Amino acid sequence: MAVTAPAVAVALAAMGLAASPAAASPAAAVPTATTAPQLGGACTAADLGTRHPYVKNTEVSPTITHFKGWYVTEGTTGNHTVVTSTETVITVSVGLTGGVEGSFAVATLEAAKASLGLEVKVDYASTSSESNTVAWSFNQPGYYGVYKGTKKVTGTYGSLNCNRSQQSDGSWLLKWAEGPGGGSFTTYTTLEEGAVSCQDAVPAGSIMAKAQGLLDCGSPAAKAEHPAGAVAPTEKQKQRQKQDQGQDQDRLAQPPARTSGMSAEQPGATGRSARAALDCQTQVYKIAVPGKPLSWGAPLLADDGVRLRPSTIFSAHLDHWRLCNVTEANGVIEATLWNWGNGRCATIAAPNAATDRAVLMTASCAEDDLQRFFIYRDVPGSSKIGVQNKYTGSMMGHDRYVDGEFIRQYSSGRQDGTGTYTLVGV
């Protein structure tokens, strides 16, 4: 369909994507790996389809993961191999998924690592998988705590998205703004092992001091005569284990992570009948690759995905989208994307919600955050946008520019700019 430039400008103005002409956005440029985005910092149109984490706060606490009370008598000094008991299990996790999935989660842990200056685990790992055997040479008889420990790192993070921002003088700029999709993370440093006695002078707040605290040095167990070898756990150690077990049970009792416990079922209503319940704008759009003819094309078959397709007289409106149930907060549009050609709504399939590079599908329209999308916009006068799924937090993009290529979700977006599209009224 041929569209004149004034017609496009009127269509975009109707949605609020265009206002009186202003200075164009800065030239698109791919951010360098050495330039970490900062809240309120400048971004470019190429960043509209990207997402970056920033660490809000962190807490580091020494934690004993394995421990055993051990008694060394006269004549038994020297090398001992001690099988310790698990005290605390630390599992690396980011957000609700309970693991480290996708580039955004890894980038979150990398940001925490950089902010603390500590070597922390940045992939899925658990201290329970570490060997619980400690080999140690004892030079003096006595009551010892043989341990493995680490520094547990916890904190919260936010999400940075590129979006337009109006200045006090009325001009517009693209800036990194806090977007939806924050959460908490847990990781830990390299495990440390050793042995500590009640008489040792240890640094306050250290892993060794934490282990010494488990010895309960003032108890009769510490002063009584024992044969060489393992010492039964003290009351303090038993209480600590009960607390840890209680925390584990509480964690297991929590509802499953949003991205792992969702039903794949969709309402049985057809797309066109479901659309009657949607408040859709009359304006129709193409979601196209900037400066190129391919745009998002919805599938006819339910098990196919949204692909890059050319617009022709045979497109059957599969390349035409309406924005429905539109809201706006802090300059970011939230909408359901309804396809004119198949009468269905864009979505990420529930079983694939936690999967990086999952294909964008269409399904019967429903009240479902998997069918809701945030739209980040360039400065007025430009129709460039970035698209983010509300439920998963991932940005939409494509691997390469070619007819038939799937539109997919990427947890951090496409850093080469291929997640930036144009929303063009038709």
Side-chain angles (χ1 to χ4, degrees):
M1 183 182 295
V3 183
T4 62
V8 173
V10 170
L12 293 175
M15 180 192 162
L17 286 174
S20 57
S25 62
V30 179
T32 62
T34 57
T35 308
Q38 301 293 325
L39 185 64
C43 54
T44 72
D47 296 317
L48 290 170
T50 65
R51 171 184 178 227
H52 298 270
Y54 77 100
V55 174
K56 293 183 174 182
N57 58 69
T58 57
E59 181 179 342
V60 180
S61 56
T63 304
I64 301 303
T65 59
H66 305 82
F67 186 87
K68 178 67 71 175
W70 198 257
Y71 202 79
V72 179
T73 62
E74 292 286 352
T76 65
T77 56
N79 295 327
H80 290 248
T81 298
V82 182
V83 178
T84 60
S85 299
T86 300
E87 290 290 316
T88 304
V89 176
I90 303 173
T91 300
V92 179
S93 64
V94 179
L96 295 173
T97 61
V100 182
E101 299 161 337
S103 58
F104 184 81
V106 174
T108 300
L109 296 178
E110 290 284 3
K113 174 181 175 180
S115 67
L116 293 169
L118 293 174
E119 283 297 323
V120 301
K121 299 285 186 180
V122 294
D123 54 0
Y124 184 76
S126 172
T127 57
S128 62
S129 62
E130 301 285 350
S131 170
N132 65 346
T133 300
V134 176
W136 202 256
S137 180
F138 296 90
N139 296 323
Q140 298 291 331
Y143 175 45
Y144 292 90
V146 181
Y147 69 91
K148 283 192 175 182
T150 185
K151 292 178 181 177
K152 181 179 180 180
V153 179
T154 57
T156 59
Y157 65 90
S159 175
L160 293 180
N161 291 85
C162 184
N163 193 44
R164 69 184 189 181
S165 174
Q166 190 169 23
Q167 307 305 294
S168 57
D169 62 358
S171 63
W172 293 82
L173 293 175
L174 284 177
K175 289 187 175 182
W176 291 110
E178 183 168 3
S184 60
F185 63 87
T186 300
T187 184
Y188 60 94
T189 61
T190 305
L191 283 181
E192 168 189 311
E193 64 180 40
V196 61
S197 71
C198 295
Q199 295 75 31
D200 288 336
V202 297
S206 65
I207 295 172
M208 184 180 289
K210 195 79 172 180
Q212 191 181 57
L214 284 179
L215 275 175
D216 203 6
C217 293
S219 70
K223 300 174 182 178
E225 293 294 331
H226 288 280
V231 177
T234 65
E235 283 303 316
K236 180 183 287 190
Q237 293 162 26
K238 291 178 181 178
Q239 290 174 5
R240 172 66 178 275
Q241 289 174 343
K242 287 181 180 179
Q243 290 173 357
D244 291 339
Q245 290 171 359
Q247 290 172 356
D248 291 340
Q249 290 172 356
D250 289 343
R251 186 171 62 250
L252 292 173
Q254 294 296 321
R258 292 173 62 187
T259 51
S260 62
M262 299 172 292
S263 169
E265 297 180 2
Q266 296 285 354
T270 64
R272 294 188 183 279
S273 62
R275 190 209 157 206
L278 295 174
D279 179 16
C280 294
Q281 296 180 349
T282 56
Q283 178 63 60
V284 180
Y285 297 95
K286 288 182 184 178
I287 306 174
V289 177
K292 296 183 179 180
L294 299 183
S295 61
W296 290 18
L300 283 173
L301 302 177
D303 59 351
D304 197 6
V306 178
R307 300 172 183 263
L308 290 179
R309 294 293 192 192
S311 296
T312 70
I313 59 173
F314 304 107
S315 295
H317 298 302
L318 290 170
D319 57 345
H320 289 172
W321 302 84
R322 279 196 171 103
L323 304 185
C324 305
N325 294 353
V326 178
T327 61
E328 183 173 345
N330 299 321
V332 179
I333 288 176
E334 180 186 329
T336 298
L337 304 180
W338 179 82
N339 187 263
W340 187 0
N342 67 11
R344 294 157 71 87
C345 290
T347 187
I348 298 294
N352 300 328
T355 304
D356 221 15
R357 301 186 70 256
V359 173
L360 183 65
M361 312 285 284
T362 58
S364 299
C365 299
E367 290 290 332
D368 187 346
D369 282 348
L370 282 167
Q371 296 185 9
R372 299 290 286 172
F373 294 85
F374 296 114
I375 298 176
Y376 300 94
R377 294 171 286 177
D378 198 358
V379 299
S382 167
S383 58
K384 291 181 179 180
I385 61 168
V387 183
Q388 179 184 29
N389 185 267
K390 179 178 181 178
Y391 187 90
T392 68
S394 294
M395 309 299 295
M396 300 301 110
H398 54 273
D399 282 344
R400 62 195 181 106
Y401 179 77
V402 63
D403 184 3
E405 182 68 18
F406 282 119
I407 302 300
R408 302 176 184 272
Q409 69 167 3
Y410 303 84
S411 59
S412 294
R414 296 286 293 170
Q415 303 302 313
D416 59 0
T418 52
T420 294
Y421 297 97
T422 55
L423 193 65
V424 182
V426 296

